[in-house]
């Protein structure tokens, strides 16, 4: 495999560092992730405020840039509340199970070439393996356990519903994300993150009607369908808007972390943003050339050597984070059935079909002795256009009835939604005291005005001290009322 830089690390360069270099790398990865989390929070609030034409955080620190640090300190000093019905060991370990895999996944991400640290030559990557990308997928799968166990151990219905939604969502979109990466493996010939970066080092020679030129080497250009599927899947994988159904505040209060506060909530918060940074870094590694400088910066001989590649790498990560924030500030939340249907009926079949196309292209390239770029130009681009056109036609056919009804409703011909069945009496002394129109006639359903909600069987009543009024006690199990105490006496 040709390497564009002699400082490009290979698998043989890992596992040979002295112990203090390993400690420096571990500490460096931890510090980088924490600082990127603090930056991402402020960056998100600033960008969304800009989109919504408001100021955003501007009090803490210069221009409000220390707001995320203040938020972290606030969470650290808040009261830690333990629900009475919580499974305490699992409730305590769930945030840890969500956070630790998020840190581990970043250990195989290459941030730069081989550099010198205090005289020792070492790659700017903690470790690598022949299956390095699978380590990231395994860590993201382990993070689901923390979310599911957190919702179950809280002892409440809403967190449990949020955790079940999250389990179904993350498993579904993790399949699409894994399938999108298979095409990268076929092109790079390896699952090692450092070798995937090396495979994007040199451009592809393309001959177009006698005109020869060097084509792009980034897999985002060579494998556009994989890149689009990956970009959509990781938004659902990280529970970000518009796919933040496990935390749908309008439906589930707060999702799986409703019963968490203080540092435990901060760990869930930290895990979400670290996952955002990790999938952004993985996108830069798999599709955007990794730590290598983009054109025209790559013309400079020193752009891909020394410590400069770290700058290009983190600029790509910040650009991917901006896309996350951009989606949150512009797109509304999807309905849950639409969201799951899109994942299983669109992303997964498209990813499987694209893998078949890429495998065919690789076989044609090998058997006909054509360059990869020529096969991609003559075979891949037409097939990709056909796939996208088929998806567009299928989408329009699926939603044809909805579009026709919406057009008729806009013209005033029919109601966009058929009137519902009559569920309340048309007129009655207790239901419709005003004698207004019924629901079938265009009126609104009116609830009974004399509704009395029965007291919860979990709550106890005891007389207030003095005037004999009734107050509601704390509701904890095992409490007794004053009448029970007096009868026992």
């Amino acid at each position: 495999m040709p390497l564009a830089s002699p400082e490009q690390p290979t698998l043989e360069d890992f596992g040979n560092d002295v112990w203090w270099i390993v400690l420096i790398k571990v500490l460096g990865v931890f510090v980088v992730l924490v600082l990127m989390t603090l930056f991402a929070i402020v960056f998100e609030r600033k960008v969304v405020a800009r989109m919504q034409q408001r100021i955003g955080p501007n009090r803490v620190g210069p221009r409000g840039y220390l707001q995320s640090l203040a938020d972290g300190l606030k969470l650290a000093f808040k009261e830690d509340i333990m629900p009475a019905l919580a499974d305490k060991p699992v409730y305590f370990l769930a945030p840890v199970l969500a956070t630790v895999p998020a840190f581990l996944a970043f250990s195989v991400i290459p941030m730069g070439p081989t550099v010198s640290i205090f005289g020792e030559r070492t790659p700017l990557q903690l470790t690598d393996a022949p299956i390095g990308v699978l380590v990231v997928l395994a860590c993201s799968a382990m993070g689901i356990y923390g979310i599911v166990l957190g919702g179950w151990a809280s002892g409440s219905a809403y967190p449990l519903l949020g955790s079940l939604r999250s389990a179904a969502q993350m498993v579904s979109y993790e399949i699409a994300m894994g399938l999108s990466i298979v095409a990268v493996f076929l092109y790079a010939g390896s699952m090692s993150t450092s070798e995937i970066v090396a495979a994007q080092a040199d451009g592809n020679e393309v001959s177009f009607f006698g005109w020869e030129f060097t084509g792009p080497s980034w897999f985002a250009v060579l494998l556009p369908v994989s890149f689009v599927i990956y970009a959509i899947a990781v938004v659902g994988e990280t529970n970000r808007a518009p796919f933040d159904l496990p935390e749908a505040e309008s439906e589930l209060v707060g999702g799986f972390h409703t019963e968490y506060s203080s540092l435990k909530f901060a760990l869930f918060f930290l895990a979400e943003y670290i996952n955002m940074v990790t999938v952004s870094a993985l996108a830069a590694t798999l599709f955007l050339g990794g730590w290598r400088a983009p054109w025209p910066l790559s013309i400079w001989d020193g752009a891909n050597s020394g410590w400069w590649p770290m700058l290009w790498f983190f600029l790509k990560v910040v650009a991917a984070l901006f896309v996350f924030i951009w989606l949150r500030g512009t797109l509304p939340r999807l309905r849950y059935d639409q969201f799951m249907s899109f994942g299983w009926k669109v992303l997964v079949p498209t990813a499987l079909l694209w893998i078949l196309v890429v495998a065919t292209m690789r076989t044609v390239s090998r058997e006909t002795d054509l360059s990869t770029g020529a096969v991609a130009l003559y075979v891949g681009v037409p097939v990709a256009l056909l796939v996208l056109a088929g998806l567009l036609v299928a989408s329009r056919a699926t939603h044809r009835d909805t579009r026709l009804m919406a057009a008729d409703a806009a013209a005033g011909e029919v109601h966009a939604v058929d009137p519902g069945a009559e569920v309340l009496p048309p007129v009655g002394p207790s239901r419709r005291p005003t004698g207004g129109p019924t629901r079938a006639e265009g009126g609104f359903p009116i609830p009974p005005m004399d509704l009395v909600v029965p007291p919860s069987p979990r709550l106890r009543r005891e007389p207030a001290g003095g005037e004999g009024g009734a107050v509601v006690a704390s509701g904890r199990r095992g409490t007794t009322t004053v009448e029970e105490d007096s009868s026992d006496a």
Side-chain angles (χ1 to χ4, degrees):
M1 180 181 300
L3 303 178
S5 171
E7 298 179 343
Q8 168 70 47
T10 60
L11 289 175
E12 290 76 14
D13 296 327
F14 296 94
N16 304 318
D17 294 329
V18 295
W19 64 270
W20 55 271
I21 288 289
V22 176
L23 291 180
I24 290 177
K25 288 185 177 182
V26 171
L27 181 62
V29 169
F30 178 80
V31 171
V32 163
L33 289 177
V34 172
L35 292 179
M36 287 297 296
T37 300
L38 297 177
F39 166 78
I41 296 173
V42 174
F43 186 54
E44 179 172 12
R45 297 180 64 176
K46 290 282 189 180
V47 172
V48 174
R50 181 74 173 180
M51 291 180 176
Q52 298 174 350
Q53 295 185 355
R54 54 187 177 85
I55 298 176
N58 61 349
R59 298 288 182 179
V60 183
R63 301 178 63 86
Y65 290 123
L66 297 181
Q67 182 64 53
S68 57
L69 180 61
D71 292 340
L73 293 176
K74 176 193 69 175
L75 287 174
F77 288 100
K78 287 187 69 174
E79 180 183 3
D80 189 9
I81 300 174
M82 176 75 70
L85 301 179
D87 189 324
K88 291 179 175 57
V90 181
Y91 179 85
F92 176 79
L93 289 176
V96 179
L97 291 177
T99 308
V100 171
F103 279 99
L104 292 178
F106 208 83
S107 60
V108 295
I109 300 296
M111 294 179 285
T114 302
V115 298
S116 176
I117 300 179
F118 300 113
E120 293 285 340
R121 300 286 296 176
T122 181
L124 282 176
Q125 182 178 354
L126 181 57
T127 186
D128 197 7
I131 54 171
V133 179
L134 297 186
V135 175
V136 180
L137 297 180
C139 290
S140 65
M142 287 298 297
I144 302 176
Y145 286 95
I147 293 176
V148 174
L149 292 177
W152 174 81
S154 298
S156 179
Y158 285 117
L160 181 60
L161 289 175
S163 63
L164 292 178
R165 278 186 171 188
S166 182
Q169 168 179 330
M170 297 178 73
V171 168
S172 302
Y173 277 76
E174 189 174 0
I175 293 175
M177 183 179 72
L179 291 175
S180 68
I181 301 175
V182 173
V184 176
F185 298 158
L186 293 176
Y187 255 79
S190 174
M191 289 185 287
S192 166
T193 53
S194 60
E195 292 186 356
I196 290 175
V197 174
Q200 303 175 73
D202 298 323
N204 297 296
E205 297 297 330
V206 180
S207 177
F208 187 71
F209 296 106
W211 179 39
E212 295 185 357
F213 62 94
T214 301
S217 59
W218 287 6
F219 290 147
V221 180
L222 298 177
L223 303 170
V225 178
S226 295
F227 181 60
V228 172
I229 294 176
Y230 178 86
I232 297 174
V234 296
V235 177
E237 174 77 9
T238 53
N239 296 336
R240 293 286 301 181
F243 300 154
D244 57 339
L245 278 306
E247 304 171 11
E249 293 86 354
S250 58
E251 304 175 36
L252 299 173
V253 183
F256 58 89
H257 55 66
T258 300
E259 301 291 344
Y260 280 88
S261 62
S262 189
L263 281 177
K264 297 184 182 65
F265 174 79
L267 289 178
F268 278 126
F269 198 60
L270 182 66
E272 176 179 332
Y273 277 90
I274 290 179
N275 284 329
M276 285 176 55
V277 176
T278 300
V279 297
S280 299
L282 188 62
T285 300
L286 298 179
F287 297 100
L288 303 179
W291 45 263
R292 296 190 173 277
W295 188 88
L297 294 175
S298 57
I299 300 176
W300 173 38
D301 294 335
N304 293 322
S305 61
W307 294 86
W308 283 106
M310 283 194 69
L311 176 61
W312 321 136
F313 173 78
F314 282 108
L315 286 178
K316 297 174 183 177
V317 172
V318 172
L321 291 176
F322 174 78
V323 175
F324 275 103
I325 301 168
W326 184 14
L327 295 178
R328 177 176 181 176
T330 54
L331 295 182
R333 180 179 291 131
L334 269 70
R335 209 171 62 217
Y336 191 74
D337 60 325
Q338 295 174 337
F339 172 60
M340 297 299 291
S341 176
F342 179 73
W344 285 105
K345 295 182 179 180
V346 177
L347 290 186
V348 172
T350 304
L352 290 173
L353 179 61
W354 179 247
I355 292 173
L356 179 62
V357 171
V358 172
T360 303
M361 292 169 54
R362 299 295 290 174
T363 303
V364 170
S365 175
R366 183 174 61 252
E367 296 296 332
T368 60
D369 197 22
L370 293 175
S371 65
T372 303
V375 175
L377 181 62
Y378 297 125
V379 180
V381 173
V383 171
L385 293 177
L386 289 176
V387 170
L388 294 177
L391 291 176
L392 180 61
V393 172
S395 176
R396 291 185 62 84
T398 303
H399 300 90
R400 180 177 180 274
D401 295 337
T402 304
R403 289 187 290 105
L404 292 178
M405 181 175 288
D408 293 340
E413 298 179 6
V414 297
H415 294 287
V417 180
D418 295 333
E422 180 64 38
V423 295
L424 296 175
V427 178
S430 61
R431 296 287 182 173
R432 303 264 179 175
T434 60
T438 64
R439 185 181 182 189
E441 297 170 350
F444 294 96
I446 301 177
M449 297 294 102
D450 55 350
L451 179 65
V452 178
V453 180
S456 172
R458 293 180 55 193
L459 300 180
R460 306 288 187 176
R461 291 184 177 274
E462 59 185 11
E467 299 298 329
V471 296
V472 180
S474 62
R476 295 181 179 177
R477 292 183 177 179
T479 59
T480 57
T481 60
V482 176
E483 289 82 3
E484 292 173 349
D485 293 337
S486 61
S487 62
D488 293 339

